[in-house]
Amino acid sequence: EFRATSQIHRVTLLVESAGWGIHAIIVTICCKMVYKGISSLPTFSQVRSEAKRNIINKMIIPMVFCALSYALRSGWMAADFASRIVSPETTFEAGLGWWIGNCWIPTFIPSIMLLYSIRKRDRETGSMDSARENLIQSPHAESLGNPFQSFQQALQDFEDEDLSLSNKK
């Protein structure tokens, strides 16, 4: 009954909808910035087109799915807000569609995509003790003299991965 009669709940729906919409826009802007930043690096032009596509896809696709999930949540909340103005006795929050479209999908997809992207970057698995040592003594760690060393190493790893895949075919 609180959801049906409360002005505060309506305001909360509107504010949350705007917040998730702004979040989707910010992630989209960051996605564009990452794409422009990667594609403008001097070493990026020396990479084969397959490796370029692979790099861009692995970095951009999780961001796109996250932005779409945030936009989906914003849309559901905006639709619920609008439905309460048009027909106060109708609610989107009561059905299974609300839970799937507003809660589960926009929570699971970004979580899965971000975990996938993190796991792809953390190729070494091991115990927590060895992980701390690897972080401290990593041969691929960024040095202060060359801030793009990490990126160059990632490019080399992608090229090596592509070569090994093409040799298996």
Side-chain angles (χ1 to χ4, degrees):
E1 186 170 309
F2 171 79
R3 292 178 183 162
T5 60
S6 173
Q7 278 298 108
I8 292 174
H9 185 64
R10 288 183 187 170
V11 170
T12 302
L13 283 173
L14 183 62
V15 169
E16 277 192 75
S17 176
W20 285 111
I22 290 168
H23 197 135
I25 291 168
I26 290 171
V27 170
T28 303
I29 291 169
C30 288
C31 187
K32 284 179 158 179
M33 290 170 50
V34 166
Y35 177 78
K36 287 179 183 177
I38 291 172
S39 61
S40 68
L41 287 172
T43 56
F44 195 67
S45 62
Q46 300 166 357
V47 179
R48 292 188 336 258
S49 63
E50 275 184 42
K52 283 182 187 179
R53 188 178 64 243
N54 213 3
I55 292 166
I56 295 297
N57 285 344
K58 286 181 181 181
M59 297 187 121
I60 300 299
I61 287 178
M63 294 176 86
V64 168
F65 275 108
C66 288
L68 290 174
S69 295
Y70 301 146
L72 177 66
R73 182 171 280 171
S74 174
W76 270 95
M77 290 186 168
D80 192 24
F81 175 78
S83 76
R84 291 182 186 277
I85 291 173
V86 173
S87 175
E89 66 277 352
T90 305
T91 180
F92 276 44
E93 297 176 48
L96 187 60
W98 173 264
W99 285 101
I100 293 171
N102 182 57
C103 298
W104 296 345
I105 290 174
T107 301
F108 290 142
I109 289 178
S111 300
I112 290 168
M113 294 304 295
L114 294 174
L115 285 172
Y116 170 78
S117 97
I118 289 170
R119 288 301 298 159
K120 288 300 271 184
R121 281 182 261 172
D122 294 340
R123 292 185 184 171
E124 289 184 14
T125 58
S127 69
M128 291 304 287
D129 296 330
S130 67
R132 184 174 184 269
E133 291 173 16
N134 287 341
L135 287 174
I136 294 171
Q137 300 172 358
S138 174
H140 303 298
E142 268 186 46
S143 67
L144 295 176
N146 185 359
F148 296 109
Q149 181 179 357
S150 162
F151 179 73
Q152 290 168 347
Q153 182 61 42
L155 284 176
Q156 186 63 41
D157 291 345
F158 281 126
E159 286 182 356
D160 293 346
E161 185 179 300
D162 287 343
L163 283 175
S164 68
L165 289 175
S166 64
N167 288 338
K168 288 181 183 178
K169 291 179 183 178

